Every structure is written in structure tokens, then in C-alpha cells.
Amino acid sequence: MKHIFLFFILTFGFLCNGQNVIEYKNEQINAIDENGKQTGIWKLYDDEKKIMIVMEFKNGEIISDTKYYYDSNLIASYKGNDLIEIYKDGKTIKGYFFRKENGGQTIVDSKGKELEVETLRYFYLSGQVMPMYYGGQTLLFDFIGKNIDYKSIKNNKGKVKVKFVIDTLGRTDQIEIVESTNEELNEEAKRIVQNLPRWQPAHQGGAFVRCPYIIPITIN
């Protein structure tokens, strides 16, 4: 019997598939309309870090503040146009997202001075989330196991590393094989990744961002 061993390598640095509405935590969230645009309430989670980010869309345009929660407490609101309010120690600290020449990001005050390190740390510990497969690795393994076309791969065995990007809507994109011990498995590995349900997309600095992954799939 063939067994599949799969694990993730997350490449930091921060259409295909998938459902129009995500059902998660007994809610329907993160919807895409018939034109492929974000609509309704979007919620992003990092349950381990107790983070939740919430915003609302209409016709692909955000129509609300982006609210950041840590352990159910509101810690910041992104107002758009790079303006963010951080709520700390009973005070409201206003700042602006600022791109550095080296491509990094920080938050500055109205005079262009970077906010205090403690304030930056307070926000960034809760102000960003990485992509997430809804239901976790257990459901991901289940999906892959149920969707392998054993007829197409016949008796072939081997290991394939598939690189792809989770786009800003949570879809897999730019799928490519980066390493393979058996080319007969390549197209099937790509097909499976192409058909993965939508993920939670990454969100950093007040915006959704594309995030690359590499998945090694071993079939014995």
C-alpha cells in the first residue's frame, strides 16, 4: 500500500481552485464574488498566537477599518492611506506604515520619526498572519490522500518537491516542480496542489501579500 509523507517548508520573504466562501469556526467568511473579488466579512487567524484580523469588503474594495485583535482585545485599527492607530496602555498612538529603502517596513509618526521599539513590537507581534490551510495539516493530508490518482501514476514511487505561491485570495498559484526523483509523478503532484481548496492568505502591514511555499510529497 502506498503511503504519503508530507511536510511543509515555509519560505519566508514575504486561479485555480477553491470555494467561493470559507466555512470556518461556524461562520461563513472570506468570500469571493462571481467576478473574483473579495466581498463581505474577512477574518484572518493565528490561533496559536491568539491573533485575529477583521475587515469588510464590497466589490473588491475594503469598506471598513482593518481591526487587529490579540486575545480578543482590540489592539490596533488600520484606517487606510497608511494610517494606523495602535491602542496601548489606555492611549491611542497614531502612526503611518513606511517602506524602507531596503524593502523593509516600519511605522513612523506624523513627523516621519519611527515609533518606539516597544510600540512596534507590541503591534507586529499581533499585526500579521501567515497563510493557513483551513482545518490544519490533518485535513490537508486527508485531501491529498483522497485526491491522488493512482491510476495515472501507476506503480511509480518517489519524492517531488512542489513550489507554489498562496496568492492574496488564498489560491495556489505559480506551481512548479523544484526537485523530483521520478518525473512520472510531477504532473500529478502539480495537479493536486492546483486543486487544493483556498487557504487563508498572508496579511502584513495592512495588506494581503503573496507567500511562497514548498511542499515535498513522497509516495512509496
Side-chain angles (χ1 to χ4, degrees), residues 127-152:
Q128 54 191 5
V129 297
M130 298 302 292
M132 176 185 70
Y133 188 87
Y134 292 103
Q137 292 191 9
T138 298
L139 288 187
L140 177 60
F141 295 151
D142 185 62
F143 179 91
I144 292 174
K146 289 180 178 178
N147 284 275
I148 292 177
D149 184 353
Y150 288 104
K151 291 183 179 179
S152 70

Side-chain angles (χ1 to χ4, degrees), residues 154-195:
K154 300 178 182 178
N155 292 319
N156 284 287
K157 301 177 182 180
K159 182 176 182 179
V160 182
K161 288 185 179 180
V162 187
K163 181 180 180 180
F164 60 99
V165 171
I166 300 299
D167 73 8
T168 56
L169 296 179
R171 305 169 298 191
T172 55
D173 191 18
Q174 297 183 359
I175 302 165
E176 59 180 301
I177 304 299
V178 294
E179 186 177 322
S180 177
T181 63
N182 187 341
E183 293 185 357
E184 296 297 323
L185 301 174
N186 290 2
E187 290 305 313
E188 179 61 10
K190 289 171 65 176
R191 185 192 68 81
I192 292 170
V193 172
Q194 178 77 23
N195 288 295

Side-chain angles (χ1 to χ4, degrees), residues 24-25 43-55 66-76 121-130 132 200-201 203-204:
Y24 188 64
K25 293 182 180 289
K43 293 184 177 182
L44 311 174
Y45 295 93
D46 186 325
D47 290 334
E48 183 177 343
K49 296 181 179 179
K50 301 180 181 180
I51 296 170
M52 182 175 67
I53 303 174
V54 183
M55 73 286 292
T66 299
K67 297 186 179 297
Y68 298 84
Y69 295 87
Y70 171 72
D71 200 16
S72 300
N73 296 309
L74 180 65
I75 65 150
R121 185 182 297 114
Y122 172 82
F123 172 72
Y124 280 115
L125 284 175
S126 304
Q128 54 191 5
V129 297
M130 298 302 292
M132 176 185 70
Q200 171 180 283
H203 192 276
Q204 297 176 335

